[in-house]
Amino acid sequence: GAVVSQHPSWVICKSGTSVKIECRSLDFQATTMFWYRQFPKQSLMLMATSNEGSKATYEQGVEKDKFLINHASLTLSTLTVTSAHPEDSSFYICSAPTRTGGFLDEQFFGPGTRLTVL
Amino acid sequence: GDSVTQMEGPVTLSEEAFLTINCTYTATGYPSLFWYVQYPGEGLQLLLKATKADDKGSNKGFEATYRKETTSFHLEKGSVQVSDSAVYFCALSEDNQGGKLIFGQGTELSVKP
C-alpha cells in the first residue's frame, strides 16, 4: 500500500519555542492531508485539514495561530506548533488519502510524531 | 455532531479465544464505517471497512457488519492470536470525497499465549 512518513518521529523542545513536523506521501500525491492529535490512551482528535494550494481548514476549538499548517506541495504538509507549552505535548499523526476519480480510496497514516515540551 | 463510541479496554484474552469489540455510532447521514488497527510503535492501518448498510467488511480473520438499525459496527474474530495484540479504532466518515474521519476512543487488546 501507499506510504506516509513523518519527521521527526520524536522531538523534545523548551517551552516557548516552535517545532515543525513534516508529513510526506512517499509514492502518491495528496491534495488533502489531515492532522490528528492523540493523547495517551485516547482517541485521535482531528485538528485540521491541510489543502494543497489553499488555507487549511481547522476544527472547532483548534487555534489556527498556534498550529500553523502549510501544504507546500502535493506530497508535503507541515504542522508548526508555535510558542509550544507543556500542554501541547502529545502524539501528532498525519494521514493522506488516495483517490480514484476524486473519490476516496483509502486513508494512509503516518507513524506519528511524539512532541514533549519541557 | 457525528460520533463513535467503543467499548472500553483493555481487553485481555487467551490465544484462540473469541473476540468482540463493540462499536456504535451517531451520524446525520449515511457514513462509511471503518476499523483501524495500531500495532505498538506503528501507524494506524486500515483493517476493514463497510460503505453501506448490511455490508460486511472482513480481513485477516476479522469481520464487522454495518447495522443501520442498531447503528453498530462490532468487530469480531473467531480465534485471536498473540500477534493481534494492538489498539483497535472504530471510525466513520460522512464524506467519501474529503476523507475526514471521526474516531472512537480505541480499545486495547492484549492476547496472552
Side-chain angles (χ1 to χ4, degrees), chain A residues 32 34 36 38 41-44 46 49 59 91 93 97 99 102-111, chain B residues 34 36 38 41-46 49 89 93 95-106 108:
Chain A
T32 306
F34 299 91
Y36 295 85
Q38 185 180 27
K41 305 288 187 183
Q42 293 189 31
S43 184
L44 281 75
L46 179 64
T49 303
E59 296 300 304
F91 196 55
I93 300 173
R99 300 180 186 277
F103 288 90
L104 176 69
D105 283 337
E106 185 174 336
Q107 286 274 6
F108 291 91
F109 287 80
Chain B
F34 306 84
Y36 283 87
Q38 187 178 33
E42 298 184 18
L44 273 76
Q45 302 171 28
L46 178 65
K49 68 178 182 181
F89 292 92
S93 176
D95 177 9
N96 66 353
Q97 292 185 0
K100 196 160 74 170
L101 289 164
I102 307 296
F103 284 90
Q105 64 267 45
E108 183 179 0

Side-chain angles (χ1 to χ4, degrees), chain A residues 58-73:
Chain A
Y58 290 82
E59 296 300 304
Q60 194 172 10
V62 177
E63 298 176 62
K64 59 182 67 175
D65 293 333
K66 178 156 193 68
F67 298 100
L68 299 179
I69 291 171
N70 181 33
H71 202 129
S73 74

Side-chain angles (χ1 to χ4, degrees), chain B residues 11-91:
Chain B
V11 173
T12 302
L13 295 174
S14 297
E15 207 165 21
E16 299 184 3
F18 185 85
L19 168 71
T20 299
I21 300 178
N22 290 336
C23 171
T24 57
Y25 68 92
T26 57
T28 52
Y30 301 95
S32 294
L33 301 174
F34 306 84
W35 276 101
Y36 283 87
V37 58
Q38 187 178 33
Y39 297 105
E42 298 184 18
L44 273 76
Q45 302 171 28
L46 178 65
L47 181 60
L48 53 86
K49 68 178 182 181
T51 57
K52 60 183 188 297
D54 299 326
D55 268 3
K56 178 186 282 188
S58 61
N59 185 27
K60 298 182 181 179
F62 292 89
E63 58 182 35
T65 301
Y66 189 141
R67 301 285 187 202
K68 188 167 179 290
E69 63 276 12
T70 54
T71 62
S72 64
F73 192 55
H74 304 321
L75 182 68
E76 297 182 336
K77 186 175 186 182
S79 176
V80 294
Q81 305 300 313
V82 172
S83 56
D84 294 326
S85 298
V87 181
Y88 292 81
F89 292 92
C90 185

Side-chain angles (χ1 to χ4, degrees), chain A residues 24-44:
Chain A
R24 293 182 184 272
S25 55
L26 296 186
D27 47 4
F28 66 102
Q29 294 182 332
T31 56
T32 306
M33 292 184 178
F34 299 91
W35 286 97
Y36 295 85
R37 184 172 177 176
Q38 185 180 27
F39 293 97
K41 305 288 187 183
Q42 293 189 31
S43 184
L44 281 75

